[in-house]
Amino acid sequence: MSNQTQPQRSMRSLLTKLFLVPIMMFGFGYLMVPLYDIFCDVTGLNGKTGAISEAKASQMVVNTEREIKIQFTSNINQNGSWEFRPAQSIMTVHPGKPYTTTFYARNKLNEAVTSQSIPSVTPNKAAAHFDKMECFCFTEQKFAALEEREMPVTFVVGTAVPEEVDTITLAYTLFTKK
Amino acid sequence: MNAQAVEHVDHDDHHHGPAKGWMRWLTTTNHKDIGSLYLWFSLIMFFIGGIMALVIRAELFQPGLQLVDPGFFNQMTTMHALVMIFLALMPAFVGLANWMIPIMIGAPDMALPRMNNWSFWILPFASIMLLSTLFVDGGAPAGGWTMYPPLVLQTGAAFPMLIFAVHLLGISSIMGSINIIATIMNMRAPGMTYMKMPLFVWTWFITAYLLIATMPVLAGAVTMLLTDKYFATSFFSAAGGGDPVMFQHIFWFFGHPEVYILILPAFGIVSQIIPTFARKQLFGYSSMVYATASIAFLSFIVWAHHMFTVGLPVSAELFFMFATMLIAVPTGVKVFNWVSTMWKGSMTFETPMLFSIGFVIMFTIGGFSGLMLALTPVDFQYHDTYFVVAHFHYVLVPGAIFSVMAAAYYWLPKWTGHMYDEKLGKFHFWMSTIFVNILFFPQHFVGLAGMPRRIPDYAVQFADFNAISSIGAFGFGLSQLLFAYIMIKAVRSGKKATDQVWDGAEGLEWTLSSPPPYHSFSTQPIVK
């Protein structure tokens, strides 16, 4: 190394820096994945909802003054063959009080299939205040051939949900896992 | 061309001519050879991408399905974009950088000549990999050049070939960019301070930084697609907790700087040519440099304006709308500077100047439609219509491609020592300009009326404008055969060019002979 001239050495250090940039930016591309998740969790964008323990939910003060309409909808992704619908499509709730409802699913195929449901809450500003204690979406649901089942979800709408929210929509999309 | 170079250096013992035979081109580390390779490669790819465009326009000549089936039509739109962006336009700019940057800053060659050879020779392999997808099971990629999942995951055997071609192209341009930055930072002649560098060098300097910062992000995004399809990851699969919209964020974090990668070198070229033929100094040199840097910076914070309709919150829509509109300020500075340079100049209208003036006018039309698209509320209507197609083709065809042609006419006499045929050059300019407007202007109208893009068939009310557009496309395509003819004719039998070539031209490259010796500036010139 000592026989290198000054310009050679400065070229070498410049190149090291320059090659580091693309390597770091490649990593940054991957870093965007967790950053995106954190961003969505914090802002409630993307309809991401939170999970809450039953003990914590029971400590909430029920606000019987307020009524919020909850709408349930269901979608089926392209693969598989399913019947999938909410047991009741509208429910009126008080903030702070836990409620349970069910979704009905039937595997129309003559073979065992695993499903995964993904929830989404609109409007975004309500998503951060919509928490679930129990949900069929927390885990994969295995269905035997032609099996049908009612799947429960227990949720609570936080008391801090913004004043202007009077309707919240909870949508589930059912995916077939390979 | 190479005979000329040899003849010229014969009298000088310190200079060696190029090696003999075809191996010269495979093993060359000479920036002029590599520049020429890039430029010829890009011309060939320009015609291949052009044929794909003509397949699209032929199908769209009439409503209904006539010539190709919809699947193949989708392959054509996807491949046309990939070929034109990654195989035609980017290599053309890199070729110009290779030829011009060393002789503009008084350097004997690029900083890393061997890596330079690699940067180029990756390209033919990447392009063969990409183009051969047309013949594999399931056909070429057909989900659009933006490669949005989940659609792109349905691609057949072409899928991994697409991903690896993108990887290779990325590696090629990253190596090329590192080379350019190292050359500019370390190899300027004494006295060539940063603020004395020609604007083409400046714009490429900034472009190279954009490339090394964003190409790896694209590489990461397509790698995630690859592992999603073959290795059961769920980056973009909602069933596994991922999100397809995240791909759009990552893609456009690369994609928006990429569109400036395609236009900043064009700004540089035009900033070289207009002062020459206006016989005036460039108006506002330092504001040009700062405007270029501002555009590059802003390009990193506007990506979501490609995604106004995915369901962003209002605050994000507003932020991206205003940030996008802000880009009009430095771009406007540039346009006004070019116009001010021409103001009261002793202008002549040789072919490079015609292409440059055409660039300024038609690029600005594309800039204005870009401002319209930047407005979130109206973008909800324009999104994914032909208005968008008209917008980006105005900035890329009579914008970026016209600048490459201007550069070819402007510097070809320097490269080869031969003048092109001025009459034919002017004829080529007027044919191109008339037809490019017949081609793209009506697309504004069908777009505003609601015709969606990437569709092989359309409602009958769009028939007339589409027929006009297709006529323009074939006229424009044929005019480019003239371009190839003019270039080849000039190389083979053009009349001798002087060293100065253009009487208003200034800069180190014009102090060299035409053609320049195979090894130039072995002794550094002093810039005062």
Side-chain angles (χ1 to χ4, degrees), chain B residues 183-381:
Chain B
T183 308
I184 294 172
M185 290 183 78
N186 279 4
M187 298 183 65
R188 280 167 292 126
M192 177 62 80
T193 57
Y194 279 113
M195 290 312 273
K196 275 187 190 162
M197 293 196 309
L199 258 169
F200 178 71
V201 179
W202 252 117
T203 54
W204 241 116
F205 190 41
I206 292 166
T207 304
Y209 274 108
L210 286 182
L211 273 164
I212 60 170
T214 61
M215 286 308 282
V217 177
L218 175 69
V222 297
T223 309
M224 291 180 211
L225 286 176
L226 191 77
T227 56
D228 265 15
K229 188 164 164 87
Y230 295 112
F231 301 102
T233 58
S234 304
F235 289 106
F236 310 123
S237 150
D243 188 346
V245 174
M246 185 175 68
F247 177 84
Q248 302 187 23
H249 282 288
I250 302 175
F251 179 85
W252 286 112
F253 184 82
F254 144 81
H256 201 76
E258 169 70 14
V259 307
Y260 293 111
I261 289 163
L262 297 174
I263 203 67
L264 292 183
F267 290 166
I269 292 164
V270 170
S271 305
Q272 299 298 133
I273 295 174
I274 289 180
T276 298
F277 296 98
R279 291 167 183 78
K280 273 174 69 190
Q281 290 285 314
L282 182 71
F283 185 89
Y285 170 90
S286 50
S287 69
M288 283 296 210
V289 173
Y290 298 132
T292 310
S294 314
I295 293 171
F297 168 74
L298 288 171
S299 74
F300 282 101
I301 56 164
V302 296
W303 76 89
H305 68 213
H306 297 269
M307 313 165 49
F308 279 148
T309 59
V310 302
L312 299 174
V314 175
S315 49
E317 309 249 28
L318 287 174
F319 170 77
F320 286 110
M321 173 170 96
F322 289 128
T324 304
M325 293 175 72
L326 202 56
I327 296 178
V329 176
T331 314
V333 167
K334 286 182 162 293
V335 172
F336 285 119
N337 279 347
W338 291 321
V339 174
S340 309
T341 307
M342 288 187 266
W343 178 252
K344 292 190 172 174
S346 315
M347 288 210 283
T348 51
F349 299 94
E350 287 86 345
T351 311
M353 183 61 161
L354 287 177
F355 272 99
S356 299
I357 296 173
F359 170 94
V360 173
I361 294 167
M362 286 180 277
F363 172 79
T364 306
I365 293 175
F368 282 141
S369 55
L371 263 179
M372 291 169 71
L373 288 163
L375 302 165
T376 312
V378 293
D379 181 74
F380 273 64
Q381 184 194 340

Side-chain angles (χ1 to χ4, degrees), chain B residues 78-89:
Chain B
T78 306
M79 292 294 280
H80 164 70
L82 290 168
V83 168
M84 285 303 199
I85 294 169
F86 291 107
L87 302 178
L89 210 39

Side-chain angles (χ1 to χ4, degrees), chain B residues 446-462:
Chain B
V446 290
L448 290 177
M451 178 171 159
R453 57 189 287 217
R454 294 170 168 162
I455 299 284
D457 187 10
Y458 50 83
V460 284
Q461 73 262 34
F462 305 128

Side-chain angles (χ1 to χ4, degrees), chain B residues 376-403:
Chain B
T376 312
V378 293
D379 181 74
F380 273 64
Q381 184 194 340
Y382 303 157
H383 188 88
D384 258 343
T385 68
Y386 258 84
F387 191 76
V388 179
V389 177
H391 156 68
F392 68 73
H393 279 96
Y394 258 93
V395 289
L396 287 177
V397 184
I401 288 178
F402 267 35
S403 82

Side-chain angles (χ1 to χ4, degrees), chain A residues 7 10-11 14-15 18-19 21-23 25-26 28-30 32-33 36-37 40 45-46 48 78 116 118 124 175-177, chain B residues 111-112 115 154 174 178 181-182 185-186 212-213 216-217 219-220 223-224 235 238-241 243 245-246 249-250 253 313:
Chain A
S10 74
M11 180 69 97
L14 174 66
L15 287 179
L18 286 178
F19 274 103
V21 174
I23 291 165
M25 288 309 290
F26 186 79
F28 176 73
Y30 276 84
M32 276 163 100
V33 178
Y36 183 83
D37 279 340
C40 288
L45 288 175
N46 219 4
K48 295 218 172 177
Q78 55 204 343
Q116 171 72 59
I118 303 292
N124 289 331
F175 291 85
T176 306
K177 292 275 262 192
Chain B
L112 307 151
M115 196 169 81
Q154 296 172 15
I174 288 167
I178 288 176
I181 296 172
M185 290 183 78
N186 279 4
I212 60 170
V217 177
T223 309
M224 291 180 211
F235 289 106
D243 188 346
V245 174
M246 185 175 68
H249 282 288
I250 302 175
F253 184 82

